Amino acid sequence: MKESVFENEFISSFIDSSKRIYYYHWKRANRTMTPEQYQAEITRQANSILHYHPQFVLVDFRASDFIIDPDLQEFVTQSLFQSLSQVGTQKLAILQTEDYVLQLSVIQTVDERKEGKYVVQYFSNPEEAEHWFEGKN
């Protein structure tokens, strides 16, 4: 059962402790974020991952309107992806946006990760991602 961890105008996050899945999804309002606000949100997610130690993480970009520039891509690598590695997350599922430029910025960010023992896969809906977490491809 999902429990809310945090919510504001840009993002909402949940944990399903029984399935060890941490979810967060970007809201359409994130298009108005400054780079500093984006860093604050990524830091919040990284800290939550350190707190909850999820086995699986699902990031939903379907409503996102924020393009992750190269400087922020490096920040994500150093904070969020480092937290995933540190707690032993096994799988990172990403729900794709339909916007090509936005999706490209997400892919470039994921490709920036220097290390990580977790596997990354892209999906179009959360059900596919959860089946993948359960090993039901």
Side-chain angles (χ1 to χ4, degrees):
M1 181 169 164
K2 287 186 200 177
E3 296 175 41
S4 179
V5 172
F6 177 81
E7 184 167 9
N8 67 14
E9 69 271 24
F10 304 128
I11 201 167
S12 58
S13 51
F14 304 88
I15 185 73
D16 185 330
S17 298
S18 64
K19 294 181 180 179
R20 297 190 59 202
I21 303 173
Y22 184 81
Y23 305 80
Y24 72 91
H25 81 269
W26 292 101
K27 298 179 180 180
R28 183 90 41 218
N30 77 351
R31 73 177 160 267
T32 64
M33 283 191 304
T34 65
E36 294 77 21
Q37 288 172 313
Y38 181 80
Q39 287 180 324
E41 295 305 331
I42 290 298
T43 299
R44 183 187 327 274
Q45 298 312 310
N47 289 338
S48 289
I49 287 166
L50 289 173
H51 177 77
Y52 290 105
H53 290 250
Q55 185 174 3
F56 310 112
V57 175
L58 176 68
V59 184
D60 187 346
F61 285 97
R62 293 176 297 173
S64 181
D65 269 340
F66 186 84
I67 295 174
I68 310 165
D69 71 34
D71 290 338
L72 292 175
Q73 291 171 9
E74 181 62 29
F75 178 79
V76 172
T77 298
Q78 294 174 357
S79 57
L80 184 68
F81 294 158
Q82 183 63 35
S83 293
L84 293 173
S85 293
Q86 189 173 335
V87 301
T89 297
Q90 294 177 1
K91 295 180 178 179
L92 170 61
I94 298 173
L95 299 182
Q96 302 181 85
T97 175
E98 292 184 13
D99 182 288
Y100 176 76
V101 174
L102 293 171
Q103 185 59 29
L104 185 58
S105 78
V106 170
I107 291 169
Q108 288 174 335
T109 302
V110 171
D111 287 350
E112 280 289 314
R113 58 189 183 117
K114 311 260 186 295
E115 59 183 72
K117 297 179 178 140
Y118 53 91
V119 180
V120 179
Q121 186 112 357
Y122 296 89
F123 298 94
S124 57
N125 67 61
E127 294 79 20
E128 291 175 348
E130 289 188 27
H131 284 342
W132 179 59
F133 291 156
E134 297 167 359
K136 301 176 183 174
N137 309 33

